[in-house]
Each structure stands twice: as structure tokens, then as C-alpha cells.
């Protein structure tokens, strides 16, 4: 018995180490803005058209995340993660050789996005299942590593660009990321099926995706997640432009927004992730929504100066980072751990929708104010939902047939 317990502990800590290594490599895609200028020059295209490839990447990431559960069931977490690493390297290799926008969209957008999404949510969910007693901290470790990957690779890719040139940088980046992902995959094991807990009748229920989507709680959580992603991704994406356009800061000062956002985002992941193991997770989400509302209120209703501008960005980034960290564990609280990858995967589509919805509203209606107003309205609705939502009762869903052993 002691040997079995020892092996279980060793396996789950190795899985955590492998997940952190893999997440760090997958997070490297968020350095994409470093390449827009040089790619625009190479392809003789506007930066805005080149940057669209990252929008496709975000969409591909969300779609692949929603499908990764099926792949894991068939091939196992290790094999799917290795496949994601190889696909990512292929995507970057093709990006290095892209000589037109369509090829760039297919390689850097579709292929790299699908590879990143196939690895991201599946490895995160699998790791959380290994640690049912500290889901919040484990989510914070994994998603924190994803965030740190964007910071670490910012320096790696920056150094490569200056010494190796654009094409070689993509090739080396792909090989480096693939190596880290495969090494991480070799440390991972599929989490065991969680046994029902006799201490809690509610928590002992595992809902399949088909059962979950018939519950109002599922769509309430989906709207909360979409709102958090839309507010975070839109404000983060145009932070520099807000600083220059609304606050009239210099380009250099407005560029400091990137550092403020990175620190606040990581802080949100760590603080709210740890807090979510010490209090009800839905209350942590309510707290994040209040913080985000404070930030949006500053953006919408005050005459900003440099200090209040950075405070507003910090509030939104802190809330966004914390929400995407707590949500996998929150979904498992509502619908069980065993089907987490599928149940959270569909909700995670809100990340892809949110990444384009804010920009779409801004481009159709013009200016920041209408988009801020929409986000503010959705945040108020989401706060009401988070304060009123309750765990689903077991009798709400048809019970599965029990097979006698």
C-alpha cells in the first residue's frame, strides 16, 4: 500500500513538472507582436493584415481546446501533447518559409493555433485532476507558467531576431518549443478516474458534456467566462492606443502598459488561484468581476491621468488572469472532475469569441466608448449571475444507468 501511495505521489508531481514545462513552451505564442513589423516588410503587407494571423491563432487555440478531450480519450495525454509539439514546430517552419499572407494565416494562424490549443487546456485539465485537493494552486502553477512563457520567450525570440534573422528565428523557436513540449509530455500520465465522494452528494455527481449543456448553470458560467475574456483581451490588445488616444500619453509612456499588464495578469493568476482553494471559487470570480468593474469604471467615467490609466489596466488584467486560472476548477466544482476537459473545452470557446468580439464591436461602431459600455453592461450581468448561481442538484439530470460489477 505504501509503495502504491509513493508511486501515485511521484507520478502526479512528475505530471505537474511536465505540465509546467509544456505550458511554458506553449505560452511562447504570446510574443507574436515582436514579429509583425519584420513580417510586414518581408511580405510587403500592412501590419494590420499581418497581425490578423494572431487573431486566427487565438481562434484556432480555442477550437482545438474544445476538441482536445476527445483526442485524449483516444490517444492519451502524452501522445496528444507530443503531437501538439510536432505540429507547432511544423507551423513555425512553414511560417519561416511563408511568402504570402494566405500561407502566413495557414501556418502561423491555423497550424500553430491548433497545436497550442491541443496542448494547453488538455494538459492543464489533466494536471488539475491529479490534485483534487488543491485545484486552485495547481491551476495557478500551470497557467502561471503559460504566462511566464510569453515573458521568457520575449527575450529568447528578441535575441534570436537580432542575431539569426527572421526565418532562422522561427525555425529555432519551433525546435526549442517542440523539445520542451515533448520532454514535458514524457513526464505526464493520464489522471486516474476520480471516485465518487460519499461526503458530498452534490460533489459526487459527474456530468457528461451532454448533461451539462442542459443545465442553466452551464450557460451562466459560459457567459461569465466570455465576458471576462472579452474585457481582458480587448483592453490588453488596445492598451497602448488607449494611453495615446484617451490619456494623451507619449508613445514611450503608453508602451509601459505592457509591463503593467504582465505584472497584474500574473499577480491575478497567483493571488486568485491560491485564494480559490481557501474560499468558494464562485465568490473569487465575483471578487474578480468587482475588480474588473472598478477598472472599466475608471476607463469609462473618469478623466484619466497617467496613474489612473495604469490602475485601470492593472484592475482589468488582474481580473482576467485570475478568472482564467480559477475557471477550470470552478467548472469541476459544478460538473465534476472526470469530464473536465470536455465540459471546460466548450466554455473555453468563449476565449476565441471574446478575442474577436471586442475588436469587432469597436470597428463596427467606432471608438472605445461603445465597447467599454458593452463590456461594462456584460460585467454587471455577470456579477449578478455569479452572486445568484447555485450548484446543480443531482435530480436535475437523468441519472446514468449503473452497471453491476
Amino acid at each position: 500500500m505504501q509503495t502504491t501511495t509513493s508511486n501515485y505521489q511521484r507520478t502526479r508531481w512528475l505530471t505537474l513538472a511536465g505540465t509546467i514545462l509544456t505550458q511554458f513552451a506553449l505560452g511562447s505564442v504570446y510574443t507574436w507582436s515582436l514579429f509583425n513589423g519584420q513580417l510586414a516588410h518581408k511580405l510587403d503587407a500592412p501590419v494590420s493584415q499581418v497581425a490578423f494571423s494572431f487573431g486566427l491563432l487565438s481562434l484556432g487555440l480555442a477550437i482545438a481546446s474544445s476538441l482536445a478531450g476527445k483526442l485524449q480519450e483516444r490517444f492519451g495525454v502524452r501522445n496528444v501533447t507530443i503531437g501538439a509539439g510536432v505540429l507547432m514546430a511544423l507551423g513555425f517552419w512553414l511560417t519561416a518559409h511563408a511568402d504570402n499572407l494566405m500561407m502566413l494565416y495557414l501556418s502561423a494562424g491555423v497550424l500553430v493555433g491548433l497545436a497550442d490549443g491541443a496542448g494547453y487546456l488538455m494538459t492543464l485539465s489533466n494536471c488539475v485532476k491529479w490534485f483534487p485537493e488543491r485545484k486552485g494552486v495547481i491551476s495557478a502553477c500551470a497557467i502561471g507558467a503559460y504566462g511566464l512563457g510569453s515573458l521568457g520567450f520575449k527575450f529568447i525570440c528578441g535575441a534570436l531576431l537580432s542575431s539569426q534573422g527572421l526565418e532562422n528565428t522561427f525555425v529555432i523557436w519551433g525546435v526549442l518549443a517542440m523539445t520542451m513540449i515533448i520532454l514535458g509530455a514524457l513526464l505526464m500520465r493520464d489522471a486516474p478516474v476520480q471516485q465518487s465522494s460519499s461526503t458530498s452528494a452534490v460533489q459526487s455527481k459527474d456530468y457528461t458534456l451532454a448533461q451539462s449543456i442542459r443545465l442553466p448553470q452551464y450557460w451562466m458560467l459560459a457567459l461569465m467566462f466570455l465576458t471576462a475574456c472579452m474585457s481582458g483581451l480587448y483592453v490588453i490588445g488596445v492598451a497602448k492606443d488607449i494611453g495615446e488616444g484617451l490619456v494623451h500619453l507619449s508613445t514611450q509612456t503608453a508602451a509601459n502598459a505592457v509591463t503593467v499588464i504582465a505584472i497584474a495578469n500574473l499577480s491575478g493568476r497567483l493571488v486568485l488561484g491560491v485564494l480559490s482553494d481557501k474560499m468558494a471559487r464562485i465568490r473569487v470570480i465575483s471578487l474578480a468581476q468587482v475588480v474588473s468593474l472598478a477598472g472599466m469604471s475608471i476607463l469609462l467615467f473618469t478623466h484619466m491621468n497617467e496613474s489612473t490609466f495604469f490602475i485601470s489596466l492593472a484592475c482589468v488584467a488582474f481580473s482576467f488572469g485570475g478568472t482564467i486560472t480559477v475557471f477550470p476548477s470552478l467548472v469541476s466544482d459544478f460538473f465534476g472532475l472526470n469530464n473536465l476537459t470536455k465540459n471546460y473545452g466548450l466554455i473555453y470557446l468563449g476565449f476565441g469569441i471574446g478575442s474577436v468580439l471586442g475588436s469587432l464591436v469597436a470597428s463596427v461602431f467606432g471608438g472605445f466608448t461603445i465597447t467599454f459600455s458593452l463590456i461594462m453592461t456584460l460585467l454587471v450581468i455577470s456579477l449578478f449571475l455569479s452572486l445568484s448561481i447555485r450548484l446543480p442538484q443531482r435530480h436535475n439530470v437523468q441519472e446514468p444507468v449503473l452497471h453491476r460489477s
Side-chain angles (χ1 to χ4, degrees):
M1 181 66 74
Q2 194 169 4
T3 307
T4 305
T5 305
S6 174
N7 285 340
Y8 176 83
Q9 293 294 341
R10 180 173 173 273
T11 301
R12 72 177 190 161
W13 287 106
L14 282 174
T15 298
L16 174 61
T19 302
I20 288 172
L21 184 60
T22 296
Q23 291 282 338
F24 188 88
L26 292 173
S28 66
V29 298
Y30 282 87
T31 60
W32 188 255
S33 59
L34 289 175
F35 300 90
N36 284 336
Q38 291 196 33
L39 280 169
H41 183 263
K42 177 188 173 182
L43 301 178
D44 193 23
V47 170
S48 59
Q49 290 184 14
V50 170
F52 180 66
S53 57
F54 187 74
L56 287 174
L57 189 155
S58 299
L59 199 57
L61 193 160
I63 291 168
S65 293
S66 69
L67 301 173
K70 287 274 191 190
L71 293 173
Q72 184 184 0
E73 275 184 3
R74 183 162 185 182
F75 302 107
V77 68
R78 178 186 286 183
N79 290 332
V80 178
T81 306
I82 289 172
V86 172
L87 184 62
M88 197 168 188
L90 175 63
F92 282 132
W93 185 84
L94 289 171
T95 301
H97 296 88
D99 56 7
N100 59 69
L101 279 172
M102 189 53 64
M103 189 171 173
L104 180 71
Y105 293 159
L106 288 172
S107 57
V110 176
L111 286 183
V112 175
L114 290 175
D116 210 78
Y120 168 70
L121 185 58
M122 178 193 62
T123 57
L124 166 64
S125 300
N126 183 68
C127 194
V128 168
K129 289 179 198 173
W130 274 109
F131 294 87
E133 78 286 3
R134 46 167 80 98
K135 295 184 283 190
V137 171
I138 296 303
S139 290
C141 288
I143 297 178
Y146 191 83
L148 283 174
S150 66
L151 202 59
F153 270 87
K154 179 183 176 185
F155 297 105
I156 294 169
C157 291
L160 287 172
L161 270 174
S162 58
S163 63
Q164 300 295 322
L166 185 65
E167 286 83 0
N168 287 339
T169 295
F170 278 123
V171 174
I172 296 168
W173 179 9
V175 171
L176 186 58
M178 179 180 71
T179 304
M180 292 174 72
I181 292 167
I182 291 175
L183 285 175
L186 294 175
L187 296 174
M188 294 178 205
R189 294 289 187 281
D190 285 282
V193 173
Q194 298 295 317
Q195 298 302 313
S196 297
S197 167
S198 58
T199 59
S200 169
V202 174
Q203 288 183 341
S204 66
K205 174 65 182 172
D206 268 297
Y207 294 87
T208 64
L209 179 59
Q211 291 170 330
S212 298
I213 60 176
R214 293 204 292 269
L215 295 167
Q217 288 95 330
Y218 191 83
W219 300 106
M220 291 163 80
L221 291 177
L223 180 61
M224 289 181 228
F225 187 74
L226 170 65
T227 301
C229 290
M230 181 180 171
S231 60
L233 293 168
Y234 176 70
V235 173
I236 288 168
V238 297
K240 184 167 168 284
D241 305 301
I242 297 170
E244 291 175 6
L246 290 185
V247 196
H248 309 298
L249 300 176
S250 68
T251 302
Q252 193 171 1
T253 305
N256 291 332
V258 177
T259 307
V260 171
I261 287 167
I263 294 169
N265 196 332
L266 187 58
S267 300
R269 293 169 193 232
L270 298 176
V271 172
L272 296 185
V274 171
L275 195 61
S276 73
D277 280 338
K278 302 183 183 302
M279 61 186 284
R281 289 188 180 89
I282 193 65
R283 295 288 79 85
V284 178
I285 295 298
S286 300
L287 174 63
Q289 289 164 341
V290 169
V291 172
S292 190
L293 273 168
M296 293 306 300
S297 297
I298 294 171
L299 287 170
L300 199 54
F301 301 123
T302 68
H303 186 70
M304 285 183 289
N305 56 36
E306 184 178 333
S307 299
T308 56
F309 166 63
F310 287 130
I311 289 170
S312 68
L313 291 185
C315 286
V316 174
F318 180 91
S319 172
F320 171 65
T323 299
I324 63 172
T325 300
V326 174
F327 239 81
S329 304
L330 180 67
V331 172
S332 76
D333 290 344
F334 275 76
F335 309 111
L337 266 173
N338 288 323
N339 299 308
L340 175 59
T341 309
K342 289 182 182 176
N343 285 333
Y344 182 45
L346 183 59
I347 287 176
Y348 196 79
L349 280 174
F351 185 93
I353 298 167
S355 69
V356 297
L357 196 55
S359 303
L360 191 64
V361 171
S363 61
V364 171
F365 294 101
F368 300 121
T369 308
I370 188 73
T371 317
F372 292 162
S373 302
L374 174 61
I375 290 170
M376 190 90 176
T377 305
L378 288 172
L379 278 169
V380 171
I381 294 169
S382 293
L383 179 59
F384 172 77
L385 291 178
S386 74
L387 292 172
S388 60
I389 195 171
R390 296 290 179 266
L391 288 171
Q393 298 302 307
R394 297 189 66 184
H395 58 71
N396 285 356
V397 182
Q398 184 183 350
E399 293 291 330
V401 178
L402 294 174
H403 297 284
R404 293 179 181 174
S405 54

